[in-house]
Amino acid sequence: FIFLDKHLRPLQGSARCRAVFVRLRWRTQKNLNNGESKLFAKAGDARLCPVLAALRIVLRYERLGNALGVLGMSAKGFLTDRVITKELRMAAAVVLGDNVTAEELQQYTPHSIRICACVLLHENG
């Protein structure tokens, strides 16, 4: 993340809290546009603000001093769709109890979480 002020000047350290923009760069992507970067502006709603979300991620990383729990990695490597699906279904099985069927558990996927997030973002403008 690169935090920027209203004149697009980089901010470091505690000055990042005054950021109006954040530039994100994707190292790798499914579409192979690796290294692509995009500029995001601060949003009026703090719950949906990309600048504040990036700042929370960076501050959490600094507080923990360990990137494993912050950057989509585990001690065994990147968190993949397969790993997330397995964990999600295990959690659903615990919550739903012994009567849940394998067919019902198949309905729990990371895709449904992403779609729900997109719908919520769209509904909130």
Side-chain angles (χ1 to χ4, degrees):
F1 300 113
I2 299 173
F3 296 94
L4 306 162
D5 67 11
K6 64 181 179 180
H7 302 291
L8 298 178
R9 292 180 300 220
L11 299 168
Q12 304 291 326
S14 62
R16 295 177 301 203
C17 292
R18 296 191 315 266
V20 178
F21 299 98
V22 66
R23 182 171 294 285
L24 278 69
R25 185 176 70 85
W26 285 265
R27 279 185 263 175
T28 58
Q29 298 187 78
K30 286 182 185 179
N31 63 9
L32 300 179
N33 283 346
N34 301 332
E36 179 181 17
S37 71
K38 292 200 183 243
L39 186 67
F40 293 90
K42 197 169 189 176
D45 185 342
R47 297 171 302 155
L48 303 174
C49 179
V51 175
L52 294 177
L55 184 59
R56 286 191 303 269
I57 291 168
V58 169
L59 293 175
R60 186 178 317 122
Y61 169 80
E62 291 173 353
R63 187 175 61 249
L64 296 175
N66 180 349
L68 292 181
V70 179
L71 301 177
M73 295 176 66
S74 72
K76 297 177 184 175
F78 288 104
L79 294 176
T80 63
D81 185 60
R82 186 176 302 159
V83 170
I84 294 169
T85 300
K86 179 183 170 191
E87 296 294 326
L88 183 61
R89 289 179 181 163
M90 285 175 41
V94 169
V95 171
L96 297 172
D98 296 333
N99 295 331
V100 66
T101 66
E103 185 176 281
E104 290 171 324
L105 289 176
Q106 293 297 315
Q107 296 175 21
Y108 291 89
T109 68
H111 177 74
S112 57
I113 295 171
R114 289 190 300 266
I115 294 302
C116 179
C118 290
V119 168
L120 289 172
L121 287 171
H122 177 70
E123 287 176 350
N124 286 286

